[in-house]
Amino acid sequence: MHQKSVLITGCSSGIGRETALQFLDEEWEVYATARNPADIETLGERGATIATLDVTDQSDVDRVVDRIIDEQGRIDCLVNNAGYGQLGPIEDVPTEMVHDQFDVNVYGPHRLTRAVLPHMRAQEDGTIINVSSVVGRVSFPGTGVYAGSKFALEAMTDALRGEVEAYGIDAVLIEPGPVETQFTERVDVEVNGGDKTDGIERSGAYETIYKLLDDTAALGGSGPGAIPPAHVAADIVNAASSTKPRARYQSGPVARATVLGRFVPDAWRDALYGLVRKFL
Ligand SMILES: NC(=O)c1ccc[n+]([C@@H]2O[C@H](COP(=O)([O-])OP(=O)(O)OC[C@H]3O[C@@H](n4cnc5c(N)ncnc54)[C@H](OP(=O)(O)O)[C@@H]3O)[C@@H](O)[C@H]2O)c1
């Protein structure tokens, strides 16, 4: 049996970093990538091959996939993990920031998927794992841009699954609820107009939603029900190692409960949001 190889995006922290470590423990050949290779030097010391990869840069994507094929002759698994959460009421988020969100969370996985698929089809085997979120199933006020990117990722993955099944390739969605990573702090930076952009344009019309977002950001990764990134990584490695992975893995109890919100009638969900707004 050949040693299996995996390419993982966004390994500088959180779920990506844990996933790289768990694949190493299972003796996979791990290609751990990040925008800044200095952030993943310790993964290199643990046995991963490290490479620079910004998922918005097609030349990075092509270079890393070509390298894996040169060195391994094949690629068994792609984990599209890199992502961030652009929060804010729909009216207040400038369209360029919506574009940036989709560039990383949707077009990024699409670029990588297109780059690996010819090789997976030729070897008639492979697994593509897309890290989505519960907000890829249920969208809440203030999360529309981020949720929109994850809904798009979910729709594309569902289509992909049917398209590549005939070639022995699996397409899997991972849907975590809150996870103890830097994600929440980075979200907070986005909401409050931090370093990534000049900030969203507060119209003054949605202050209750900002209050809700502040509370949610505080709850997020460190709140009740948040799980360690190792749990999500275990689901990813499990899916990659399975001959028949599930279409979706909800990581953690909050994820499993929240996804049920999808089956609640729209009018009930909207009424619940209205109720929450009244108490803010
Ligand atoms: N934490 C949660 O509560 C939660 C819940 C549901 C889903 N998720 C999803 O889980 C995934 C991982 O997030 P996390 O929780 O582990 O958060 P994290 O610790 O903030 O990690 C996000 C990773 O994505 C990388 N990234 C961002 N933009 C990138 C780009 N253009 N190219 C390459 N890498 C980029 C970051 O790298 P830099 O260091 O270079 O910025 C970082 O390594 C995301 O897709 C997120 O949407 C997280």
Side-chain angles (χ1 to χ4, degrees):
M1 253 273 282
H2 66 271
Q3 191 179 18
K4 291 196 163 187
S5 56
V6 58
L7 164 58
I8 311 165
T9 64
C11 293
S12 69
S13 61
I15 296 167
R17 187 184 151 69
E18 272 301 324
T19 300
L21 289 170
Q22 291 195 22
F23 272 113
L24 285 170
D25 286 347
E26 296 297 317
E27 300 190 346
W28 284 59
E29 195 66 50
V30 176
Y31 286 80
T33 68
R35 285 190 288 191
N36 180 357
D39 294 340
I40 47 175
E41 266 168 16
T42 52
L43 289 174
E45 286 155 17
R46 292 283 295 271
T49 304
I50 60 171
T52 306
L53 196 163
D54 182 330
V55 299
T56 66
D57 186 329
Q58 185 68 51
S59 61
D60 277 4
V61 171
D62 293 339
R63 179 179 37 75
V64 173
V65 172
D66 287 350
R67 177 178 173 187
I68 298 173
I69 298 304
D70 276 354
E71 292 177 358
Q72 306 298 324
R74 55 184 291 126
I75 178 161
D76 295 286
C77 183
L78 163 67
V79 181
N80 280 312
N81 164 74
Y84 71 93
Q86 176 61 63
L87 299 190
I90 295 291
E91 183 182 343
D92 290 4
V93 184
T95 304
E96 304 80 63
M97 291 176 76
V98 179
H99 171 76
D100 291 349
Q101 175 77 115
F102 275 65
D103 205 7
V104 174
N105 290 12
V106 183
Y107 310 152
H110 183 246
R111 288 182 189 97
L112 279 135
T113 299
R114 293 193 69 228
V116 302
L117 270 180
H119 306 290
M120 288 186 174
R121 279 193 291 101
Q123 69 204 30
E124 297 188 338
D125 190 28
T127 309
I128 295 176
I129 299 180
N130 288 336
V131 181
S132 174
S133 164
V134 283
V135 304
R137 310 292 303 282
V138 193
S139 177
F140 305 93
T143 70
V145 174
Y146 176 51
S149 74
K150 294 298 191 185
F151 265 67
L153 184 65
E154 296 253 344
M156 289 166 78
T157 311
D158 280 339
L160 179 70
R161 202 166 44 255
E163 291 165 1
V164 297
E165 190 205 0
Y167 298 99
I169 301 165
D170 297 304
V172 174
L173 283 156
I174 304 289
E175 298 169 335
V179 186
E180 296 156 357
T181 65
Q182 292 179 28
F183 183 81
T184 315
E185 288 76 38
R186 294 183 189 196
V187 158
D188 202 30
V189 167
E190 305 301 323
V191 172
N192 293 318
D195 55 2
K196 203 171 204 131
T197 67
D198 290 334
I200 55 184
E201 296 163 358
R202 289 204 184 203
S203 56
Y206 307 101
E207 292 312 305
T208 52
I209 290 184
Y210 285 107
K211 184 162 179 349
L212 190 68
L213 289 177
D214 279 348
D215 293 347
T216 319
L219 280 174
S222 51
I227 56 172
H231 286 206
V232 186
D235 282 341
I236 293 172
V237 175
N238 183 11
S241 311
S242 167
T243 47
K244 219 174 169 354
R246 300 204 303 264
R248 289 182 161 74
Y249 292 73
Q250 277 106 37
S251 305
V254 175
R256 284 191 288 277
T258 310
V259 159
L260 296 178
R262 188 178 172 78
F263 305 106
V264 170
D266 293 338
W268 294 12
R269 258 203 324 267
D270 292 348
L272 181 69
Y273 301 149
L275 212 61
V276 170
R277 208 171 44 241
K278 265 196 198 128
F279 285 102
L280 283 171

